[in-house]
Amino acid sequence: MSNAITASKREQTGSLNALRRDGKIPAVLYGKGITPQLLTVRENEAQKGIELNSFIDLKVNGQTHRVMVRDIQKDPIKSSLLHIDFLKVEMNHPLEAEVSIRLTGEAPGVKGGGVLQHQLRSAVVKALPSSIPEVLEANVSSLQIGDSVTVEDLKIPEDVELLHITPETVIASVVPPAKAEEETEETEELSDTDKTE
């Protein structure tokens, strides 16, 4: 996703809550070779045009900056936007970004009574801005109860590097239902009791 939005400079003084009540979202623009700038973005414009890791042409006082949405802070209850970080990017220089991991397919182990657990929901990648994927997909279509899908099962483009993670890291697994686990634990406890008696 890529589009253009307009931002305005803001003073460091003043209430951020007052800005939000006025329909403006506080933001900051930073990056190599520029002084960090405090900004505001109209809420209605931000709601339709901003997603984490998306690239945007940010217009500020007549200048256009190619930026990545580096961070979005939201109200945990209302889900309204509280703050946005814009990182100015150079398209010929690689950068790091956190990318969500989405599960695809249906695990047959779930149909058999198992529970699908999604342990790893994002990963940090390094690539040129134009090569950073919007999402990484992990296919769970072959998972039976007791099976798992790991980082090495991800299909990573050749020009994208995964950081701070090992190939053996589990992304998702199908585990037995809790009731079955509890029955197993009770059986083991009774067995241990019999041995001590």
Side-chain angles (χ1 to χ4, degrees):
M1 174 183 164
S2 176
N3 54 21
I5 64 173
T6 301
S8 302
K9 289 189 176 181
R10 65 179 166 93
E11 300 297 327
Q12 194 156 8
T13 58
S15 169
L16 297 183
N17 287 331
L19 286 173
R20 297 182 184 110
R21 285 194 296 269
D22 193 34
K24 299 175 181 178
I25 307 301
V28 62
L29 168 65
Y30 60 93
K32 185 178 180 181
I34 64 170
T35 302
Q37 300 179 28
L38 301 178
L39 307 172
T40 60
V41 178
R42 298 298 306 180
E43 184 176 14
N44 58 355
E45 197 171 3
Q47 290 284 9
K48 67 180 181 181
I50 290 179
E51 295 178 4
L52 190 63
N53 290 337
S54 61
F55 291 96
I56 290 173
D57 289 327
L58 185 67
K59 299 178 181 179
V60 184
N61 291 0
Q63 285 189 317
T64 299
H65 305 276
R66 187 65 170 170
V67 302
M68 168 187 268
V69 180
R70 192 66 163 183
D71 186 50
I72 300 175
Q73 296 177 26
K74 292 187 176 182
D75 185 292
I77 299 175
K78 301 177 182 178
S79 293
S80 56
L81 293 173
L82 297 178
H83 194 275
I84 305 167
D85 284 13
F86 295 111
L87 172 66
K88 184 174 181 180
V89 298
E90 298 178 58
M91 300 306 290
N92 59 343
H93 284 77
L95 56 83
E96 296 181 13
E98 186 173 2
V99 179
S100 298
I101 298 176
R102 180 173 62 205
L103 303 184
T104 62
E106 295 184 9
V110 173
K111 295 180 180 178
V115 178
L116 179 64
Q117 293 186 339
H118 190 177
Q119 289 102 315
L120 185 68
R121 296 182 177 272
S122 65
V124 178
V125 303
K126 183 177 182 180
L128 292 174
S130 59
S131 298
I132 293 176
E134 290 186 7
V135 67
L136 297 173
E137 294 185 344
N139 194 310
V140 299
S141 299
S142 64
L143 299 189
Q144 300 287 349
I145 294 177
D147 292 341
S148 60
V149 60
T150 64
V151 168
E152 65 182 346
D153 297 316
L154 291 173
K155 292 183 179 179
I156 307 295
E158 291 184 2
D159 52 355
V160 175
E161 178 186 0
L162 278 177
L163 302 178
H164 321 306
I165 200 167
T166 62
E168 299 80 18
T169 302
V170 174
I171 295 171
S173 57
V174 178
V175 299
K179 185 176 180 180
E181 291 182 347
E182 291 171 0
E183 289 175 352
T184 301
E185 291 173 359
E186 289 175 2
T187 302
E188 291 175 350
E189 288 175 3
L190 288 174
S191 176
D192 291 339
T193 302
D194 291 342
K195 290 178 181 177
T196 56
E197 291 177 353

